Amino acid sequence: MRESVKQICDRYGFVVDPNKKVYDMSVSEKQTVEIIKVLYRGARILILDEPTAVLVPQEVDELFGNLHRLVADGATIIFISHKLDEVLKVADEITVIRRGTTVATVRPVDVTAKQLAELMVGSELPTPQTQESTVTDVVELSLRGVCLDTADGRRVLDDITFDIHRGEVVGIAGVEGNGQIELVETIMGMRSGSIGTIELAGRDISGLSTRKRRES
């Protein structure tokens, strides 16, 4: 079995240690294992549903390289994704489905991401308009040096510092599992043991319970 797995990895460019426990693997390694499993069983058609959702850009490029080698070897791949740039990059043919019905089948060279989006929503996309900013100078939420460790001593938040002004929208970007949930729960008071300060409307709420924070 190990020799068969090694042959599959060498043939399609997968990098995975057959002796490694799955629970010790990263998300991308686990995904690779799932693909290898179906190839090991002789599958020639692969259906991948949002396979890049939890991958960083480098891992996405590696996955696409593997997929191209599979296709070159005669495999058929159905790649399902809402990331239009990736669809245009990897697909030979694109089928757009809206409300369970096929509305178009196109080639990547014939369409743009905007045109695909319009096919998906069924109408022309509105042109963005510049409006007066709603952001004020008043700091509504302020974090300074917020850190959080898990029960086993692993640091999941490290020196988080930012201000959110009244009327402002702040996006937190990152691959799933990199501290977003812990950050939200720390701000809400659902996690104890954090260090640093959290201020809401100028009031230090760091030591307050979730209920007290909501009442602030």
Side-chain angles (χ1 to χ4, degrees):
M1 291 176 66
R2 282 187 173 84
E3 182 58 31
S4 297
V5 169
K6 183 179 183 302
Q7 290 176 3
I8 292 173
C9 290
D10 292 343
R11 185 172 183 175
Y12 300 116
F14 294 114
V15 179
V16 64
D17 181 0
N19 298 308
K20 192 174 184 179
K21 300 294 184 182
V22 173
Y23 58 74
D24 289 330
M25 292 182 174
S26 66
V27 173
S28 63
E29 287 177 316
K30 291 177 181 178
Q31 187 180 78
T32 299
V33 168
E34 292 302 315
I35 295 175
I36 292 173
K37 282 165 61 177
V38 296
L39 294 175
Y40 178 82
R41 294 167 182 160
R44 301 304 295 165
I45 299 176
L46 282 73
I47 304 176
L48 306 180
D49 187 5
E50 301 284 357
T52 64
V54 294
L55 303 182
V56 299
Q58 180 182 351
E59 293 170 338
V60 172
D61 290 339
E62 292 175 357
L63 173 63
F64 285 174
N66 298 142
L67 298 185
H68 284 304
R69 281 186 282 271
L70 283 165
V71 170
D73 194 49
T76 298
I77 297 174
I78 300 175
F79 180 86
I80 304 170
S81 178
H82 68 282
K83 297 181 179 181
L84 302 185
D85 290 339
E86 292 183 359
V87 171
L88 289 168
K89 181 178 180 180
V90 75
D92 296 305
E93 186 176 79
I94 302 170
T95 295
V96 181
I97 298 176
R98 185 171 69 247
R99 296 181 179 177
T101 301
T102 297
V103 295
T105 298
V106 296
R107 296 188 307 160
V109 295
D110 296 331
V111 293
T112 64
K114 183 176 183 294
Q115 290 171 325
L116 284 179
E118 290 174 346
L119 288 170
M120 291 168 63
V121 300
S123 61
E124 185 176 347
L125 296 180
T127 302
Q129 298 180 352
T130 302
Q131 299 179 347
E132 185 178 348
S133 175
T134 60
V135 181
T136 69
D137 294 331
V138 180
V139 176
E140 192 70 20
L141 179 67
S142 178
L143 276 68
R144 289 290 179 272
V146 174
C147 301
L148 179 69
D149 295 338
T150 61
D152 59 2
R154 182 171 62 90
R155 177 145 295 191
V156 290
L157 298 178
D158 188 18
D159 193 23
I160 305 298
T161 299
F162 61 81
D163 293 328
I164 302 180
H165 294 78
R166 187 170 298 172
E168 183 178 30
V169 177
V170 174
I172 304 296
V175 176
E176 182 180 359
N178 280 268
Q180 298 94 314
I181 293 176
E182 290 82 0
L183 175 61
V184 172
E185 292 181 348
T186 297
I187 293 173
M188 294 176 63
M190 297 170 62
R191 286 181 179 261
S192 59
S194 65
I195 61 176
T197 59
I198 303 175
E199 293 185 359
L200 180 63
R203 181 188 178 192
D204 189 348
I205 61 171
S206 306
L208 300 182
S209 65
T210 300
R211 180 175 181 178
K212 291 294 183 182
R213 296 186 190 201
R214 295 183 63 180
E215 293 173 350
S216 297

